[in-house]
Amino acid sequence: MADGLAQAARDGDAAAVAQWLDAGAEVDALSMTRRSALDLAVHAGHSEAVRVLLAAGADPQQRAGEYGELTPLCLAAMYGHTAVVEILLDAGAPTGAQGRMNYVPLVLAATATEHGHPQTVDLLLRHGVDINGVMKDKTPLEWAAAFGKVQMVHQLLARGATPTAKALSEAHAGAKRSPEAAQKYALVVDALHAAGIED
């Protein structure tokens, strides 16, 4: 039953998910791959299946990810599944540091791809997430600067992130570490200078 539920969730078949649950499948049971239906539905970005599972009592704070290192919200934020993030937030998922690695969903949304996930970042901020919340001693802006995420640095600054000397030093360090990316780090430095941070 757990495998049937997991497969339906992975496929995004919300009707089949509901049928498995009605038949007695345990909502948070782990499949043979050691992942729950909610974990798999979130990973694939299937918002309707996620909604059905949460309505049936799935734990929005359970372990998620291939190695159980994340939470459903961290997983959704990392993949930029904005609709899923909203459903999880509405279900009461916490937004601070979480999971075995103490990941912060906003940092993951801001840094997971070349440009981050702007819509997911905006949604998290609209839900009151702390724009200066720290993950492993760095704010989302400092992480974005460290990874040379030019657009995300601009977005976070525009949304009220506190510009810091640390963000500037992270950008300078990134340019030294990756000379081939010097141009984008220079743009990050320019954005921080414009925000009032001086070398």
Side-chain angles (χ1 to χ4, degrees), residues 57-193:
D59 179 5
Q61 299 185 52
Q62 65 184 263
R63 283 188 175 190
E66 193 175 351
Y67 305 105
E69 75 282 20
L70 299 164
T71 61
L73 184 59
C74 282
L75 192 61
M78 189 169 76
Y79 283 101
H81 296 320
T82 308
V84 173
V85 168
E86 184 154 32
I87 292 165
L88 288 163
L89 290 171
D90 289 344
T95 58
Q98 56 196 266
R100 284 194 298 121
M101 310 297 286
N102 282 325
Y103 287 131
V104 172
L106 182 59
V107 173
L108 297 180
T111 61
T113 64
E114 185 183 350
H115 301 300
H117 299 295
Q119 289 179 306
T120 307
V121 167
D122 277 343
L123 175 68
L124 287 164
L125 294 174
R126 280 200 307 275
H127 273 260
V129 170
D130 181 3
I131 197 168
N132 297 310
V134 172
M135 180 177 106
K136 299 179 183 172
D137 297 324
K138 290 204 275 279
T139 66
L141 178 64
E142 289 160 359
W143 279 107
F147 287 126
K149 311 285 186 189
V150 182
Q151 288 174 270
M152 188 53 62
V153 165
H154 280 284
Q155 181 178 355
L156 290 168
L157 286 169
R159 292 299 302 265
T162 304
T164 62
K166 186 173 188 175
L168 195 59
S169 68
E170 290 288 351
H172 285 311
K176 284 184 189 150
R177 200 170 51 243
S178 309
E180 71 282 359
Q183 190 174 1
K184 68 179 181 179
Y185 281 107
L187 292 171
V188 169
V189 168
D190 287 347
L192 292 165
H193 283 162

